[in-house]
Amino acid sequence: AVTKSGTLYFPIWMASAVGVLEKEGFDVVFTDAPARGVELDRVLEMARERQPRLIVMDTSTPSVDNDAGVAEQIKAVAPKAYIVFVGTHVSALAEETLKMAPAVDAIARREYDYTIRDLARVLAGGGAAPDAAKLRSVAGLSFRDGRAVIHNPDRPYIEDLDELPWVSKVYKKHLEIGDYFNQNALYPMVTMVTSRGCPFRCSFCVYPQVLSGRRYRLRSIASVVDEMEYIAKEFPGIRSIFFEDDTLTANKKRCLELADAIKQRGLKIPWQANSRIEIDYETLCRIKEAGCRELCVGFESGSQKTLETMRKGTKMERMFAFMKDARKAGVLVHGCYMVGFPGETREDIEQTIQLSLQLNPDTAQFYPVMVYPGTEAYDEYKTRGWLTAPSYKDWLTPEGLHNCVVRNEHFTSAELVRFCDEARRRFYLRPRYCFYKVGQVMRHPGELIRTAKAAGVFFKYLIQGSKV
């Protein structure tokens, strides 16, 4: 999907799997076709020339039908290739995917780093067709055995994250960092993680429920800072690092240790991270001193009732205390807001818009809730008959934007989209905000590139709104 801020994420999960394969000695070609603007003809040419034994394709709910078609075309030019899909959608719906995508041979569910490695070992063992008995030994794999679909037991989550190769080394070898953009980070930037999993219970959040789990697993501080040092050295011109952990600040003690280690190494590179509002003033000050420039925070709703419905586990009053502390510490905040939850009324949505204006973070995003397969929210909306997309293709608009695929008992999908468009206009087109942004760029010229790059894509949506 094309985002309204122009954001394009690093393929961090795929990069980790590539690193594991290369550590094992496999010859890997890693292509991010959308980021590079590589057309399908070129992808097919690559498959025809190399005749790979294993092809791993990342997919998603909006793209799965298209990706299944691409897999068919690849299989036509590389018939001996064993094609595997990975990602949140297929982890949640492995059997459905294999039944609707005949060219796809298997699904690597949940964390797939070692599943792909073990599968590659099996395929490297020889034979035109993989041995079904050996495939049954690959934990986390769902595969086709004749007309039957076999689901091997889940693979345990990876405990020692320090064993995984650094994704930044994979980026350097295979990708162009200038292809990726996040409106909250100084451009160009590199994305990495310090942990996997999230201990919180938000009903809509897909990665903890489907891919990485709800148990918080941590890399060592030394490993994290070593990778930061590598990034600063090996990527000339890099201006920031984005920590893509679900919640970097979930553990205060560890967060403070990370901040202290960054300072002790003398690293001066700015960084951004995802956070919750429970982080206190002391921690905000310490991470600011260690280079934290901005935190991305899910405020989500201005209605306490709605917050409880989504099991966010936060209180309204804490939001204001957090923003006060963040401003005092000098940490920018990107606020996230959603609409369309069960029971949410026009009054609740207005409270959310008012909350965004009162909190007044540096930037804000407003979206109808996205309920992905495998989440508690998806199950609830499906049970209530509130999913409005007839097929997965309909998760995208004709323009390639995220489509609203839900309604609730009060509003249609189109009305939820209009509420978000209204919220963006009221937030971003305020004279106060416009003057603030001009002043920010004048005081900090380094903000100009990321502001202009985001605005170039975003401005048309502020003025004309969106189509469903």
Side-chain angles (χ1 to χ4, degrees):
V2 178
T3 69
K4 294 177 181 178
S5 62
T7 297
L8 185 63
Y9 295 102
F10 278 87
I12 196 164
W13 285 91
M14 289 282 280
S16 180
V18 169
V20 168
L21 287 170
E22 292 187 325
K23 182 179 179 181
E24 189 77 5
F26 289 103
D27 178 23
V28 183
V29 173
F30 182 26
T31 300
D32 188 343
R36 282 272 78 196
V38 176
E39 298 293 337
L40 178 57
D41 287 348
R42 175 55 187 148
V43 174
L44 296 176
E45 182 183 346
M46 291 166 60
R48 184 183 296 106
E49 290 173 352
R50 296 187 63 87
Q51 293 298 314
R53 186 71 183 94
L54 173 63
I55 294 176
V56 182
M57 296 174 61
D58 194 10
T59 188
S60 65
T61 301
S63 71
V64 67
D65 288 336
N66 176 79
D67 297 334
V70 171
E72 286 187 19
Q73 295 185 67
I74 291 175
K75 184 76 84 170
V77 299
K80 294 182 180 179
Y82 196 81
I83 299 180
V84 182
F85 273 9
V86 297
T88 57
H89 180 88
V90 296
S91 288
L93 300 174
E95 181 143 357
E96 175 186 291
T97 304
L98 287 172
K99 288 181 176 179
M100 58 81 69
V104 178
D105 298 292
I107 305 296
R109 307 186 311 271
R110 305 205 310 182
E111 287 184 344
Y112 53 84
D113 319 66
Y114 294 155
T115 303
I116 296 299
R117 177 202 63 188
D118 292 353
L119 174 61
R121 288 171 175 170
V122 169
L123 296 176
D131 187 320
K134 291 182 179 179
L135 289 176
R136 288 176 183 269
S137 70
V138 180
L141 191 72
S142 295
F143 66 98
R144 205 187 306 278
D145 183 10
R147 292 186 177 182
V149 172
I150 308 300
H151 300 287
N152 293 343
D154 286 337
R155 178 175 295 273
Y157 290 116
I158 298 170
E159 295 297 329
D160 186 358
L161 298 181
D162 285 358
E163 288 184 351
L164 294 171
W166 295 347
V167 292
S168 53
K169 288 188 175 181
V170 176
Y171 299 159
K172 183 173 177 62
K173 180 178 179 180
H174 294 278
L175 305 178
E176 295 291 336
I177 64 168
D179 290 343
Y180 303 94
F181 175 72
N182 188 312
Q183 67 162 344
N184 305 310
L186 298 176
Y187 177 85
M189 56 98 184
V190 166
T191 294
M192 59 179 284
V193 296
T194 80
S195 66
R196 284 187 178 181
C198 181
F200 301 101
R201 309 294 300 181
C202 303
S203 65
F204 56 86
C205 197
V206 63
Y207 277 88
Q209 294 184 70
V210 179
L211 215 64
S212 59
R214 279 175 162 159
R215 197 168 64 76
Y216 199 38
R217 292 160 289 131
L218 309 172
R219 290 174 62 183
S220 69
I221 296 296
S223 172
V224 172
V225 180
D226 284 348
E227 185 171 10
M228 292 180 70
E229 199 166 51
Y230 171 85
I231 290 169
K233 178 182 178 182
E234 296 296 329
F235 292 90
I238 194 72
R239 301 193 60 233
S240 65
I241 291 173
F242 196 105
F243 291 120
E244 196 59 87
D245 304 46
D246 288 299
T247 314
L248 179 77
T249 60
N251 183 315
K252 176 179 177 177
K253 179 176 180 292
R254 196 255 187 166
C255 197
L256 294 177
E257 289 174 353
L258 176 60
D260 291 344
I262 292 171
K263 288 191 292 183
Q264 288 167 7
R265 289 285 185 95
L267 294 171
K268 302 296 184 182
I269 187 166
W271 51 272
Q272 296 77 214
N274 298 312
S275 177
R276 282 173 61 96
I277 61 173
E278 288 84 1
I279 184 173
D280 60 23
Y281 179 65
E282 175 197 5
T283 308
L284 285 163
C285 289
R286 294 269 286 276
I287 63 175
K288 172 64 177 179
E289 292 169 2
C292 178
R293 177 186 155 276
E294 184 171 41
L295 294 176
C296 299
V297 176
F299 298 112
E300 315 304 5
S301 177
S303 163
Q304 189 63 50
K305 174 192 68 177
T306 303
L307 292 170
E308 292 167 3
T309 296
M310 69 177 79
R311 293 193 283 282
K312 183 69 180 178
T314 54
K315 299 292 183 182
M316 299 287 299
E317 57 268 21
R318 180 59 201 149
M319 297 180 188
F320 290 92
F322 164 77
M323 281 301 304
K324 180 180 178 181
D325 289 343
R327 287 195 183 91
K328 189 176 178 182
V331 175
L332 297 176
V333 174
H334 172 74
C336 304
Y337 305 88
M338 291 190 294
V339 301
F341 286 92
E344 198 169 33
T345 65
R346 181 65 176 92
E347 181 181 359
D348 295 323
I349 294 175
E350 178 60 29
Q351 288 175 352
T352 297
I353 298 174
Q354 287 299 324
L355 176 69
S356 72
L357 300 176
Q358 292 164 11
L359 293 176
N360 196 33
D362 178 67
T363 50
Q365 67 182 49
F366 304 85
Y367 284 105
V369 59
M370 298 294 286
V371 294
Y372 289 97
T375 64
E376 295 158 357
Y378 181 86
D379 291 342
E380 179 177 8
Y381 280 71
K382 186 176 182 179
T383 298
R384 294 194 181 204
W386 290 352
L387 296 178
T388 59
S391 71
Y392 298 128
K393 295 176 182 178
D394 297 305
W395 283 57
L396 294 180
T397 69
E399 297 79 22
L401 295 168
H402 283 293
N403 202 1
C404 178
V405 299
V406 302
R407 64 177 181 88
N408 70 4
E409 62 266 57
H410 299 297
F411 303 113
T412 65
S413 298
E415 288 171 327
L416 293 174
V417 170
R418 285 197 291 271
F419 287 140
C420 291
D421 290 337
E422 175 190 348
R424 290 186 196 96
R425 287 191 290 270
R426 289 170 62 179
F427 185 90
Y428 281 105
L429 299 182
R430 293 171 293 159
R432 171 189 175 187
Y433 183 82
C434 295
F435 283 121
Y436 158 73
K437 272 296 170 184
V438 170
Q440 183 187 60
V441 170
M442 291 179 67
R443 292 190 306 274
H444 307 286
E447 296 283 348
L448 178 61
I449 296 177
R450 72 115 181 176
T451 301
K453 193 171 177 65
V457 177
F458 196 29
F459 187 72
K460 64 179 179 179
Y461 301 116
L462 287 175
I463 300 301
Q464 70 185 30
S466 305
K467 298 177 182 179
V468 176

